[in-house]
Amino acid sequence: MNRREFLAAASVAAAGAAAVAEKDAAVTPIVDPHQHLWDLSKFKLPWVKEGAPLARSYLLDDYRKATEGLNVVKTVYMEVDVDPAQQDAEADYVLALCAKPESKMAGAVISGRPASEGFAKYIARFKGNKHVQGVRQVLHGDGTKAGYCLQEQFVKSVRLLGDMGMSFDLCMRPGELLDGAKLIDQCPDTRFVLDHCGNGDVRAKDRTQWQKDIAEVARRKNVVVKVSGIVAAATPGAWTADDLAPIVNHTMDVFGPDRVMFAGDWPVCTLAATYKQWVGALQSIVKGRKEEEQRKLFHDNAVKFYGI
């Protein structure tokens, strides 16, 4: 087989695999509890630098195109780390989308700064809002030091979320997972979501510490995990499902079938994969698990956790 024939055969095989993945996803309904959208004509995202791959607007129509052919039946919006001065405006923007049934957006995790003295007043505005599911502050930013989430005011605010029936998303560096465990221990009545498999590193040769630490987090029963995000750190054009499998499988094993949720993390995932490639890779990784467990991962657990 010459090079041209080899490339042609590879192309046909890849197209066939993609078609199978899309067919499988179309059969299984998907809930995406980590849907990012951003309109750079309305909002400033300090972490998105001019000229960077993600430095453009990603709107609802773009999401629909990215998920076309997949059976995404509902979504939950995830805050996008806007300039803190725009937190209220971002919340209003997504809640307006939640009010439109055609958007399929059933809820939102909004931005918040729990360490702020004004957090209680800020979050009170959303008390009783059926669409506001929880709050997130990204904890792995360059200016956020280890232990930040253990400040007294931060802990107090996260406890308040529990009192209000809201969850808190932990999005943090893998080396600080035990800080997350300590926060969870101090907020026993708050439900937590650990984002992106605890940000396990796809390229790492030794994941021993991450394995131990995420297992320790998983011992707390008031935390679930999103199986997401890790593909964004893979080598573009040079990764396979096998590269992701060790992180996915360990995460699912330590949390168990009832506390894991698929999440798209689009458009961040496009740093290395399309939405469909990420879904197809995850489906191939979990295909050996029970059908009931696969449905819980892609649909049922998110419906139960968010009450949607």
Side-chain angles (χ1 to χ4, degrees):
M1 180 182 292
N2 61 34
R3 182 174 182 274
R4 180 177 295 177
E5 291 171 332
F6 172 80
L7 292 174
S11 177
V12 171
V20 170
E22 184 171 330
K23 180 181 178 181
D24 290 343
V27 171
T28 304
I30 294 174
V31 172
D32 183 355
H34 206 95
Q35 178 193 26
H36 292 309
L37 300 172
W38 59 75
D39 185 343
L40 295 186
S41 71
K42 299 179 183 293
F43 302 104
K44 180 180 180 181
L45 281 58
W47 59 277
V48 175
K49 307 303 180 183
E50 186 175 352
L54 297 176
R56 71 171 183 84
S57 294
Y58 290 88
L59 307 178
L60 190 57
D61 281 345
D62 298 312
Y63 181 83
R64 287 169 175 153
K65 291 176 183 177
T67 59
E68 188 176 5
L70 304 177
N71 193 15
V72 177
V73 294
K74 291 182 181 179
T75 69
V76 175
Y77 173 84
M78 173 54 66
E79 66 91 23
V80 294
D81 204 14
V82 299
D83 186 301
Q86 295 183 312
Q87 287 179 163
D88 283 277
E90 179 195 20
D92 290 340
Y93 171 72
V94 298
L95 291 177
L97 289 176
C98 288
K100 299 179 179 179
E102 65 272 19
S103 75
K104 298 184 180 180
M105 191 181 289
V109 175
I110 62 174
S111 178
R113 296 293 184 270
S116 167
E117 290 289 342
F119 180 80
K121 181 179 179 181
Y122 163 75
I123 201 63
R125 181 165 82 89
F126 304 102
K127 185 176 182 179
N129 189 306
K130 66 178 182 179
H131 294 306
V132 177
Q133 302 284 355
V135 169
R136 183 178 80 159
Q137 177 180 0
V138 173
L139 299 174
H140 57 65
D142 292 339
T144 306
K145 297 180 180 180
Y148 178 86
C149 66
L150 299 177
Q151 298 176 71
E152 182 179 355
Q153 181 59 47
F154 197 106
V155 174
K156 181 180 178 181
S157 295
V158 175
R159 287 175 179 163
L160 174 61
L161 290 176
D163 293 340
M164 297 177 67
M166 297 182 189
S167 61
F168 184 76
D169 272 61
L170 290 164
C171 190
M172 59 205 318
R173 289 173 284 257
E176 294 161 24
L177 284 171
L178 295 185
D179 286 348
K182 292 175 183 177
L183 175 63
I184 295 168
D185 285 342
Q186 294 183 68
C187 306
D189 297 322
T190 302
R191 298 179 305 149
F192 289 84
V193 183
L194 180 64
D195 290 347
H196 308 329
C197 300
N199 282 312
D201 187 353
V202 173
R203 304 191 195 191
K205 294 182 179 180
D206 182 3
R207 303 190 188 97
T208 303
Q209 194 61 52
W210 167 82
Q211 290 174 332
K212 292 179 179 178
D213 292 350
I214 195 172
E216 179 63 23
V217 173
R219 289 181 57 242
R220 281 88 182 146
K221 300 306 179 184
N222 57 324
V223 58
V224 302
V225 67
K226 287 177 181 172
V227 180
S228 60
I230 56 174
V231 72
T235 303
W239 64 272
T240 68
D242 289 340
D243 297 320
L244 311 180
I247 293 176
V248 170
N249 285 323
H250 181 70
T251 298
M252 294 186 66
D253 289 343
V254 297
F255 274 89
D258 295 318
R259 292 192 292 140
V260 292
M261 300 185 291
F262 155 81
D265 194 32
W266 178 94
V268 181
C269 69
T270 62
L271 292 172
T274 66
Y275 196 108
K276 292 179 182 180
Q277 287 172 336
W278 162 230
V279 170
L282 183 55
Q283 286 177 327
S284 69
I285 293 169
V286 303
K287 65 182 179 182
R289 295 179 184 262
K290 296 178 181 178
E291 184 176 339
E292 178 187 9
E293 293 182 5
Q294 294 181 50
R295 185 179 175 91
K296 287 181 177 181
L297 171 67
F298 283 101
H299 180 273
D300 294 357
N301 289 344
V303 169
K304 181 178 180 180
F305 185 86
Y306 291 109
I308 56 175

